[in-house]
Amino acid sequence: MRQPEPADPPTAPAQDGSAPAAERPIYDRGDTVCVVGAGASGLAAVKNLREHGFDVDCYERETGIGGAWNWRHDRSPVYASTHLISSRPLTQYPDFPMPDSWPDYPHHSQLLSYLERYADHFGLRQHIWFGTEVVRAVPVDGGRWDVTTRSTGGHGAERTQRYAAVVVANGHNWAPKLPTYEGLDDFRGTVIHASAYKDAAQLRGKRVLVVGAGNTGCDLAVEAAQSATTCWHSTRRGYWYAPKYVFGRPADQVNDAVLALRLPLRARQWLFHRTLRLTVGDLTRFGLPAPDHRVYETHPIANSQLVYHVGHGRITPVGDVVRFHRDSVELNGGVEIEPDLVVFATGYLPRFEFLSPEVLELDAAGRPSLYLNAFPRHHPTLAVAGLLQPDSGLFTLVHWQTVAIARVLRLRETAPQRAAAFRTRVVAGADQRWNRARLKESTRHWFEVSHTDYLRAVQRTLDELEPSAR
Amino acid sequence: MRVAEWARPVPPVRREVLAALPEVDEGRPPVLFVPGFGHGAWVFAEHWLDRAASRGFPAHAVSLRGHGGSGAAPKASLRAYTHDVVQVAASLPRRAVLVGHGVGALVVTHALARYPAHAGVLVAPVLGGWGTAGTALRRNPVGTLPAAFGGRLRLSRRQLFSRRLPDAAARAYAGRLGRAAARAQWQVLLGRPAEPAVGDPPVLVLGSPDDRVVPLPALNRAAAGYNAAPLLFPGMGHDLMLDAGWPEPIDAILDWLEKDTRA
C-alpha cells in the first residue's frame, strides 16, 4: 500500500472572509493530543489520555457532552422511550460503575446523567471546547497534525492548531443511511429516517411502515404497535429475536455465563438456538420468516415485546419493500400496503468529513481500514475511538481501546522500537475481523465485533504495550 | 476479561455512608474511609471524618455490607465488599482518595484495581495470607480459632487499643464490633492478591509498631509493595482512628495528601 503524501496546507480563503488558511498563524500545542467529539468514546479518550499524562484539547460541536446519548443534540438518535439494549454491567465503563440501584436496562436520560457524572468525576469538562467543530485535520511533518476548528454552524473565524496526535471520536450513529427505491420521490406519504423519530406522538393515529430489523427497527415497531392504528414491519430476512430476560436474568448476562465456559462457537450457537426455542418458541408460527442464518452471524436483536405485539396482531410482519407508488408501497410477493408514514430504521454510515479519504484508507463505500477498528496503517499518531458495533455495550470496549491508544502514544516517546514493532502489527492486521462467526455482509456489520474476542485482542495489545514490559 | 463481573454482577444492598463536609468546598478530593472486618462506618465518624472536613476534605465512610448500618449480607465475598467501595467512590462528585483500615485496606487494594482513585492510604493493613492468621492465633487464640471454622473473629480490646485509651471507652468500642461473612474471612487467607492499581495512584502505608494485629514486618512488607516505608505511630493499637492519639495519624494522612498529591 502506498504511503500517502502529507497533504499540502490549505490555501483557499476561509468562507467567512477571515485570513486565508495559509496565512493564518498556526498555534503549536506541543505534546497536546486533540480529541474530536465528547460523546461516550471521546470522554473515555480524554480521561485515559489524561491518566497517561497527556494534555488534551477535546472539540465538541454541541454545547454539552454525551454525543448520541444527549437527546438535545441535533445528531442524537435517541427518542423519548429509548432504553439500553445491553444490561448495566455489560454497558458501563469498567472503572466507573453505574449505580447498582439502577434498573438492569436504564433509560437514555439515566445514561446521559451517567456520562455527565463521569465527566465531572474525572474533571474532563475543563479540557473540552464546546460549540466548536473540527473542519480539517491535516497530517504534517513529524507525525503531527494541523487541526482547524471553528464555532459550530460556521460562524466566526477558523483557527488552526498543531497537535502531537489526533483521536477521532466523532461517533458513527448520526449520518443516516437511507435506502433508494423506485418511486420513493413520488410517494405522497411521510418518509422519515429513524434518527428523526423522537416521540410516540409522531405515530399516533397513523398507519406506519417500519423498515429494518435492527434493534431500532424492532423498538420502533413496538412503539408503533402501541400508538399507531396499524404497524407493518418490513424485514429482509428472518432474525433471531432474543428476549431481554431469560431465566429471570438479563439475557446478555446469561450469554456471558455461557461464554465463560469457552465452548466452541458451534456449541454456543446450538445452546443459544435451544434456549430461544424454549423461551421465545417457533417464530414462524407468528408469521415471522425463519432465520436464514445462525445466531451470532448478524447483530443480536434484544427485544422481548416484538413477538408479543405480533402475537396480538398489533404488528404485521411483512417482506422486503420492492418499490413505492404514489399512494402505496409494494412488497415482496406483490402485496401492496398504504402507510401514512414510513420509518426507515436502516442504520447509519460513518463520516469523517474533516479527514481526507486516504488518511483512513476509506474504500468506495466509505469503510475505513483500521487495526482493532482503531489504528490506521500509515498514521501512527492518529487513532479512531469507538468505531465498534459490539454484541454488548460499547463503553467497556472503548475504555480499553482508548487505554491502548494512550499507551501507543506514550510508547512512541519512551520506547520507539517497541512502538515500531506495534506498527508492524498494525500494518499486517488492518481489516482483521474480531468475530468468530461468519457475519452477513452488509454495512450494518462493518464494525461488528464479539466483545470477548475483541477484548482479548485488546488485552494482548495492552500487554504488548505495557510500559514495564520488555 | 471480567466475565464474572458481567455474568454474575454483585447484587445491590443498602449501604450506610456517613459523611462530614467542609463548610466551604475548596475543590479538594473527597476522602472515602473503608473500615475493616467487624467495624462499621461509625469508627471513622467518631473522630476522623470531622477532622478531615475541618481541614477542607469532604470525608465519607462506608459500612461494608453486613456491617454497621448497611444491609445484611451473610454470604458476602471480598468481591462484594470491593464492589461496595467502588460504588460509593464512583458516586462521589470527584475522584476520591480511598483510605482502608485493617482488612478494609485489602478491600481498598482490590478497589484500586477497579477504580482510578486520586490516592490510596492503607492504615494498619491486613493484606491477607497465612502470616496474618498465624499472628492472630498466637496473640489471641480464643478469639481467632472460631474464625478458622467460619465463626466470628473476636479481637480483644488489648489488640485494638493502647492502654492510654480509658478502659470504659475501649470496652464500649469493642462491644460495638460486628462480624464479617465467613466466606470473606476465608478469602482473606486464601484469596489472590489484588491486581495492580489503575491510574498509578500514590499510596501511603501507615500503622503502629505496637499494633498487636499487624506486626511491624507486615507493615514494612506492605509499604515495600509500593516502594516506600510505612509511617509509624508508636504506642498506638490496631484501631488508630479510635485510640488515644487519634489526631496524629489522620493529620499525617491529610498532610501527605496536601503535599504529595497536591490535593
Side-chain angles (χ1 to χ4, degrees):
Chain A
M1 185 58 68
R2 186 180 64 88
Q3 171 93 26
E5 298 291 328
D8 292 325
T11 52
Q15 289 173 353
D16 59 6
S18 60
E23 293 169 17
R24 263 200 319 268
I26 294 173
Y27 303 95
D28 197 323
R29 298 285 290 132
D31 294 334
T32 305
V33 177
C34 172
V35 174
V36 184
S41 302
L43 292 174
V46 175
K47 184 218 155 228
N48 288 319
L49 285 163
R50 293 283 306 147
E51 215 162 275
H52 282 73
F54 290 99
D55 286 329
V56 178
D57 286 346
C58 174
Y59 295 111
E60 168 55 54
R61 67 188 301 283
E62 302 282 355
T63 52
I65 62 147
W69 289 103
N70 193 328
W71 60 273
R72 297 181 195 92
H73 292 176
D74 291 344
R75 294 174 169 184
S76 168
V78 303
Y79 45 87
S81 60
T82 304
H83 279 257
L84 294 186
I85 53 164
S86 54
S87 72
R88 207 163 23 81
L90 281 109
T91 307
Q92 65 205 3
Y93 294 112
D95 57 351
F96 191 72
M98 292 183 189
D100 59 8
S101 55
W102 278 11
D104 290 325
Y105 296 100
H107 185 248
H108 72 80
S109 59
Q110 287 175 302
L111 202 74
L112 177 59
S113 79
Y114 170 73
L115 292 174
E116 284 175 338
R117 281 202 306 107
Y118 179 82
D120 293 333
H121 192 88
F122 294 112
L124 307 181
R125 287 185 204 266
Q126 57 186 305
H127 307 290
I128 303 170
W129 298 81
F130 289 104
T132 308
E133 64 185 336
V134 172
V135 184
R136 274 182 303 279
V138 180
V140 292
D141 288 345
R144 298 168 67 75
W145 293 82
D146 282 355
V147 177
T148 303
T149 57
R150 69 173 172 216
S151 64
T152 305
H155 309 295
E158 291 184 353
R159 177 183 168 92
T160 302
Q161 298 179 95
R162 187 160 289 177
Y163 288 97
V166 172
V167 177
V168 176
N170 64 335
H172 60 280
N173 283 329
W174 54 268
K177 185 181 80 175
L178 277 164
T180 51
Y181 288 104
E182 183 188 333
L184 182 57
D185 291 342
D186 299 326
F187 179 62
R188 283 170 45 150
T190 309
V191 177
I192 62 169
H193 185 268
S195 59
Y197 174 75
K198 292 293 161 198
D199 191 272
Q202 290 169 263
L203 307 171
R204 204 154 291 141
K206 297 203 169 100
R207 286 168 299 162
V208 178
L209 168 64
V210 178
V211 180
N215 280 291
T216 304
C218 293
D219 284 352
L220 292 188
V222 168
E223 291 263 301
Q226 297 168 85
S227 302
T229 54
T230 309
C231 171
W232 295 280
H233 187 206
S234 163
T235 61
R236 190 169 296 166
R237 59 168 64 93
Y239 287 90
W240 298 96
Y241 298 98
K244 279 189 154 177
Y245 286 91
V246 283
F247 314 124
R249 308 264 314 140
D252 55 0
Q253 295 178 16
V254 175
N255 185 47
D256 269 45
V258 175
L259 280 173
L261 302 175
R262 307 287 290 256
L263 297 173
L265 174 67
R266 278 282 172 182
R268 280 191 288 124
Q269 285 175 323
W270 179 85
L271 208 57
F272 204 150
H273 289 171
R274 295 299 304 165
T275 309
L276 288 185
R277 178 66 78 150
L278 284 169
T279 52
V280 185
D282 178 9
L283 293 181
T284 57
R285 210 191 127 255
F286 295 85
L288 288 160
D292 61 352
H293 57 283
R294 304 178 70 79
V295 286
Y296 302 124
E297 290 177 355
T298 55
H299 188 70
I301 298 166
N303 193 308
S304 298
Q305 296 185 68
L306 187 93
V307 177
Y308 173 89
H309 287 296
V310 171
H312 283 62
R314 297 295 304 153
I315 297 174
T316 308
V318 295
D320 211 2
V321 173
V322 175
R323 64 179 64 81
F324 280 73
H325 299 291
R326 193 172 161 79
D327 296 306
S328 65
V329 179
E330 187 181 330
L331 306 167
N332 252 347
V335 179
E336 279 197 34
I337 55 172
E338 294 182 359
D340 307 314
L341 172 68
V342 179
V343 185
F344 283 121
T346 42
Y348 301 84
L349 286 171
R351 283 177 73 179
F352 308 96
E353 295 146 318
F354 49 88
L355 290 170
S356 60
E358 65 270 20
V359 169
L360 295 178
E361 295 182 65
L362 301 185
D363 65 14
R367 178 183 182 170
S369 172
L370 301 164
Y371 177 65
L372 283 177
N373 290 29
F375 300 99
R377 264 187 274 223
H378 299 299
H379 295 280
T381 51
L382 177 71
V384 183
L387 194 59
L388 297 162
Q389 189 84 45
D391 54 355
S392 69
L394 174 72
F395 299 0
T396 297
L397 278 66
V398 82
H399 167 83
W400 292 114
Q401 190 190 52
T402 51
V403 170
I405 291 169
R407 280 197 190 172
V408 169
L409 294 176
R410 187 49 80 208
L411 216 59
R412 275 174 55 81
E413 298 163 14
T414 56
Q417 285 136 337
R418 285 175 54 208
F422 175 71
R423 294 306 309 166
T424 314
R425 186 188 291 253
V426 169
V427 172
D431 299 328
Q432 190 173 339
R433 302 298 290 262
W434 306 101
N435 206 322
R436 262 171 265 182
R438 207 174 45 201
L439 291 162
K440 289 280 172 192
E441 261 317 315
S442 76
T443 58
R444 184 178 168 201
H445 297 123
W446 272 358
F447 312 117
E448 186 75 20
V449 296
S450 147
H451 68 289
T452 46
D453 289 347
Y454 185 80
L455 283 173
R456 283 196 187 100
V458 175
Q459 177 70 60
R460 283 194 295 277
T461 299
L462 287 172
D463 291 344
E464 186 186 342
L465 302 172
E466 177 72 39
S468 59
R470 292 277 174 269
Chain B
M1 296 294 289
R2 293 175 181 168
V3 177
E5 306 289 329
W6 302 328
R8 288 183 296 280
V10 174
V13 71
R14 179 173 48 82
R15 276 184 289 269
E16 178 190 41
V17 180
L18 304 178
L21 303 177
E23 284 179 19
V24 181
D25 183 0
E26 297 166 9
R28 290 197 157 147
V31 182
L32 175 60
F33 293 97
V34 181
F37 280 2
H39 296 58
W42 64 268
V43 297
F44 294 107
E46 283 289 292
H47 309 297
W48 280 18
L49 290 189
D50 286 337
R51 186 68 157 210
S54 73
R55 290 189 51 179
F57 289 89
H60 307 259
V62 57
S63 291
L64 300 175
R65 59 185 62 206
H67 291 76
S70 288
K75 293 182 179 168
S77 61
L78 275 183
R79 177 161 83 101
Y81 292 153
T82 306
H83 172 84
D84 288 339
V85 173
V86 175
Q87 279 279 317
V88 177
S91 74
L92 299 175
R94 283 190 290 274
R95 193 185 289 234
V97 177
L98 302 185
V99 182
H101 169 259
V103 182
L106 174 64
V107 176
V108 162
T109 60
H110 283 282
L112 290 174
R114 290 282 183 274
Y115 166 78
H118 184 85
V121 180
L122 312 181
V123 182
V126 176
L127 298 184
W130 290 102
T132 309
T135 307
L137 276 169
R138 210 166 48 247
R139 294 193 169 157
N140 179 15
V142 178
T144 308
L145 208 55
F149 299 97
R152 178 179 173 179
L153 175 70
R154 286 177 192 275
L155 296 177
S156 73
R157 61 182 198 277
R158 283 294 149 244
Q159 281 179 293
L160 298 173
F161 310 109
S162 71
R163 291 187 184 280
R164 284 195 295 151
L165 186 71
D167 251 11
R171 204 170 296 123
Y173 287 147
R176 290 183 71 177
L177 298 182
R179 60 161 299 177
R183 186 173 167 202
Q185 286 181 176
W186 278 107
Q187 286 177 321
V188 171
L189 294 181
L190 304 169
R192 283 182 296 182
E195 292 169 24
V198 290
D200 203 18
V203 176
L204 173 72
V205 177
L206 70 161
S208 164
D210 303 311
D211 185 336
R212 292 173 64 80
V213 175
V214 183
L216 187 57
L219 269 182
N220 286 329
R221 266 198 311 277
Y226 298 96
N227 300 318
L231 267 186
L232 296 176
F233 298 86
M236 297 188 76
H238 180 64
D239 280 1
L240 285 86
M241 60 284 182
L242 293 173
D243 207 348
W246 62 262
E248 288 176 40
I250 184 64
D251 281 341
I253 292 170
L254 299 174
D255 287 346
W256 176 77
L257 283 177
E258 282 174 356
K259 285 180 191 160
D260 286 23
T261 71
R262 279 182 246 140

